[in-house]
Amino acid sequence: MYYKKRRGRHGFTPKPEAQPSFIPPSVGGVNALDSVANMAPNECIYTYNLMPSEYGLRLRAGYREWANGLPSQSNTLIAYEGLAGDGNEDRLWAVCAEGIYNITLLNTTAPVQDVAFTVNVTGEAGYGVWTQFINTSDDHYLFYADAENGLHLYTESTQTWSVPAITGVDPTKIAYVLSWKNRLWMIEQDSGVAWYLPVDAIAGAAQQFTFGADLRYGGELKALYNWTIDGGDGLDDYLVGVGRGGDVLVYRGSDPSSPEFSRVGSWNIGDIPGGRRGGVAHGGDLYLLSVFGITSLRDLLQGSEVSSENVKGPSAKINRFLRSDILADKEDFSWSLSSNPSDGAIVVVTPYSVQAEAIQYVKNMLTGAWGMWRGVPAHCVSKWDGSFYFADTEGRVWLYDGFLDGSLLDGTEGKDIDYQTLTSFQNLGGPHGVNKMVGVVRTQGVLSGSTNITTSVVYDYDVGASMPFPSVSPAYGDSLWDASVWGVATWAGGLRKGEYTAGVSGHGFSVAVGIRGTATSRINLVGWDLTFKTGGLM
């Protein structure tokens, strides 16, 4: 009797009905830490150029040429904010192995060389650091230093560069400079020694302060940072010294010659990669880059050990990728941490040799989620006047802006931005051991402009599955949503909701959605509706 009730009207057992499900956008970002069988629905295996944001996955901005004509690759971008509020004193310089070049103006094609490096044009030449310095008389200065060319001073009132008249240490031997509590601090190259000037001074007799005895894991003193925190009795600026072997030394006080200046912390975070720009301050914390990934000094202060298996640091969810990259190119000088105010993010700049393979790790500092840029030729970066700039390895400087990659000063239009993502694997609300067969996937998004997209469904943790590239480029005019061949679509028009439906095939126990496409606008993906049928057990 039960068997008869299950038979259809023509005497056959009815086919299972399609069930609906929804996969949210991966606002939780990349998760390369947890098991692929136990990831949250709002996380992803990877996402390139589709960045986790507050409303969904948002396509990163493009980049357009700002300046060219440099004699070689720029290894440092110096951003200077002048005294005048009208911006007339602001400056942007590119530092090459040959010297320092003024690229303040958009459309610069013949940069003026303000400083010539006549002796040391190899090694770390141009891989430097800089700091602005303002004394109590409101005089504005900027100091730049690198390990090959020493210390240089820019004076705003005269708009000139010079070598400061410092005694006690040879300015040509200065590899690093920092303004801390209205004192200029300098690191002598290939040593554990720092030097400091009197309060307010930009020249004169420098005094020695030795960090080397406390660098228990060896190597020279690499960098100094200012860290502003509340140590229990109000906000204060701490001085942080970092050694190449990974020692992190924290000092409190103001006058290094006074007994009140003392070390309040000492930790090791693992070897420091090449260069001296592996730290960035953000929101009361200081982040440092090492072979362990990114370490939070606030975590260290609270007693967490960076190497502990129970501690999940700021980069824990991408360390599987980041650590292998650091170990592969540990000695490269281009490693750096920087903030990108236009996206509210922190960017890990990694070495690259082929532009198409350039990868930068980007963390949304509001949500804490990680994504990756791909194809952005960022050799060195800087924030300036609220925008984000970077230089490539071919003598050009770019502004992170617009909807195309690589638009040139001569009017040559850039290319569409290539994006790709693979969501986490989900059981779609059913038992893991039951087969699912997805039939239709509908991608939902918001955009203005146009995009091409291909949709795939990946089953059973095949994280290496290839994502087919769209066969056509996005159009630059109006086109229709939901009027396209399944598997490939072009979206365009004004800012509005969009839906793209694609038919897919295959079956498995666990399901992820993968997309790849190109776009000419900053699209926002807000999730995937899908229909599926269930089959037999394993």
Side-chain angles (χ1 to χ4, degrees):
M1 183 69 178
Y2 174 79
Y3 172 74
K4 290 183 179 180
K5 287 183 179 179
R6 295 291 300 163
R7 293 168 63 91
R9 63 180 293 187
H10 297 295
F12 300 101
T13 301
K15 295 181 179 180
E17 295 182 357
Q19 304 176 51
S21 189
F22 176 73
I23 294 180
S26 305
V27 295
V30 176
N31 185 350
L33 175 66
D34 297 323
S35 165
V36 292
N38 193 36
M39 288 171 56
N42 70 339
E43 296 176 328
C44 60
I45 304 300
Y46 59 77
T47 184
Y48 296 105
N49 295 336
L50 279 175
M51 310 309 295
S53 64
E54 292 75 19
Y55 287 109
L57 287 176
R58 188 185 188 197
L59 191 71
R60 66 161 172 81
Y63 55 90
R64 56 188 174 94
E65 195 174 23
W66 178 267
N68 60 37
L70 295 168
S72 63
Q73 68 185 29
S74 173
N75 298 324
T76 302
L77 291 178
I78 301 175
Y80 178 76
E81 304 283 349
L83 175 62
D86 56 12
N88 288 335
E89 305 300 332
D90 295 353
R91 296 290 185 270
L92 184 65
W93 287 283
V95 187
C96 305
E98 294 81 4
I100 301 176
Y101 295 81
N102 192 323
I103 56 166
T104 301
L105 299 179
L106 175 64
N107 297 323
T108 297
T109 57
V112 174
Q113 187 179 36
D114 287 347
V115 177
F117 298 156
T118 58
V119 179
N120 298 310
V121 294
T122 58
E124 290 187 68
Y127 289 96
V129 295
W130 51 269
T131 185
Q132 290 198 206
F133 187 84
I134 305 172
N135 63 20
T136 53
S137 299
D138 208 23
D139 298 318
H140 284 227
Y141 305 93
L142 179 140
F143 288 87
Y144 167 83
D146 72 48
E148 297 290 343
N149 299 285
L151 187 64
H152 294 267
L153 165 66
Y154 174 75
T155 303
E156 181 181 301
S157 61
T158 61
Q159 298 185 12
T160 58
W161 285 86
S162 62
V163 175
I166 294 175
T167 60
V169 60
D170 184 352
T172 66
K173 302 297 184 182
I174 297 300
Y176 191 98
V177 62
L178 172 73
S179 174
W180 184 74
K181 288 194 173 181
N182 219 31
R183 291 181 186 269
L184 195 70
W185 282 76
M186 301 157 286
I187 296 176
E188 187 175 354
Q189 67 183 52
D190 300 326
S191 77
V193 172
W195 298 81
Y196 62 92
L197 293 178
V199 171
D200 252 10
I202 63 169
Q207 301 298 315
Q208 179 177 317
F209 189 89
T210 301
F211 289 81
D214 293 325
L215 300 178
R216 295 176 298 166
Y217 287 81
E220 73 276 19
L221 182 63
K222 293 281 285 186
L224 295 170
Y225 299 101
N226 178 80
W227 182 28
T228 303
I229 61 168
D230 188 340
D233 54 357
L235 289 175
D236 196 6
D237 291 334
Y238 288 67
L239 181 67
V240 180
V242 180
R244 178 164 55 87
D247 290 293
V248 177
L249 310 174
V250 180
Y251 293 83
R252 185 177 185 179
S254 57
D255 183 357
S257 65
S258 169
E260 57 89 24
F261 188 83
S262 60
R263 194 184 72 196
V264 295
S266 175
W267 300 274
N268 185 271
I269 61 172
D271 287 359
I272 305 301
R276 299 173 183 268
R277 301 186 295 230
V280 64
H282 181 86
D285 206 343
L286 178 65
Y287 299 101
L288 298 174
L289 183 65
S290 75
V291 293
F292 285 131
I294 298 176
T295 299
S296 158
L297 250 67
R298 183 177 291 277
D299 289 347
L300 292 182
L301 190 66
Q302 294 174 351
S304 301
E305 288 293 335
V306 66
S307 58
S308 171
E309 295 181 357
N310 297 321
V311 175
K312 297 181 180 180
S315 62
K317 289 189 175 182
I318 61 161
N319 274 346
R320 178 171 172 262
F321 305 129
L322 179 58
R323 287 175 177 173
S324 63
D325 285 350
I326 292 176
L327 292 174
D329 292 294
K330 180 174 173 290
E331 304 306 321
D332 196 289
F333 299 132
S334 60
W335 285 103
S336 72
L337 281 178
S338 179
S339 60
N340 176 4
S342 61
D343 281 352
I346 283 181
V347 179
V348 183
V349 176
T350 71
Y352 75 93
S353 56
V354 179
Q355 176 178 335
E357 299 173 359
I359 297 293
Q360 319 301 334
Y361 298 95
V362 182
K363 181 175 185 176
N364 184 316
M365 294 307 293
L366 182 61
T367 66
W370 284 96
M372 285 98 85
W373 289 353
R374 182 167 64 186
V376 178
H379 177 63
C380 64
V381 303
S382 185
K383 58 180 181 179
W384 184 53
D385 195 27
S387 297
F388 191 70
Y389 296 78
F390 64 89
D392 62 20
T393 57
E394 299 179 9
R396 295 171 298 191
V397 178
W398 305 88
L399 169 62
Y400 177 72
D401 178 59
F403 306 124
L404 298 173
D405 278 353
S407 296
L408 302 179
L409 292 179
D410 64 10
T412 302
E413 195 169 63
K415 63 179 181 179
D416 316 320
I417 301 175
D418 173 15
Y419 60 86
Q420 182 177 349
T421 190
L422 179 64
T423 71
S424 60
F425 288 84
Q426 300 299 319
N427 297 327
L428 304 183
H432 182 272
V434 173
N435 261 303
K436 291 93 177 175
M437 182 175 66
V438 178
V440 175
V441 177
R442 180 173 61 194
T443 304
Q444 299 189 53
V446 178
L447 82 163
S448 62
S450 58
T451 182
N452 271 355
I453 184 173
T454 61
T455 304
S456 304
V457 170
V458 180
Y459 295 94
D460 298 343
Y461 316 117
D462 185 8
V463 297
S466 61
M467 299 294 144
F469 197 79
S471 58
V472 294
S473 297
Y476 290 88
D478 287 340
S479 65
L480 298 177
W481 305 83
D482 297 331
S484 55
V485 178
W486 276 11
V488 178
T490 299
W491 293 350
L495 181 63
R496 58 175 178 172
K497 169 188 173 184
E499 296 178 352
Y500 162 56
T501 303
V504 294
S505 61
H507 62 86
F509 306 127
S510 191
V511 175
V513 174
I515 63 170
R516 186 165 187 181
T518 60
T520 61
S521 73
R522 295 199 76 174
I523 64 174
N524 285 270
L525 296 185
V526 296
W528 294 271
D529 293 311
L530 52 84
T531 61
F532 70 99
K533 297 179 180 180
T534 56
L537 297 175
M538 54 186 297

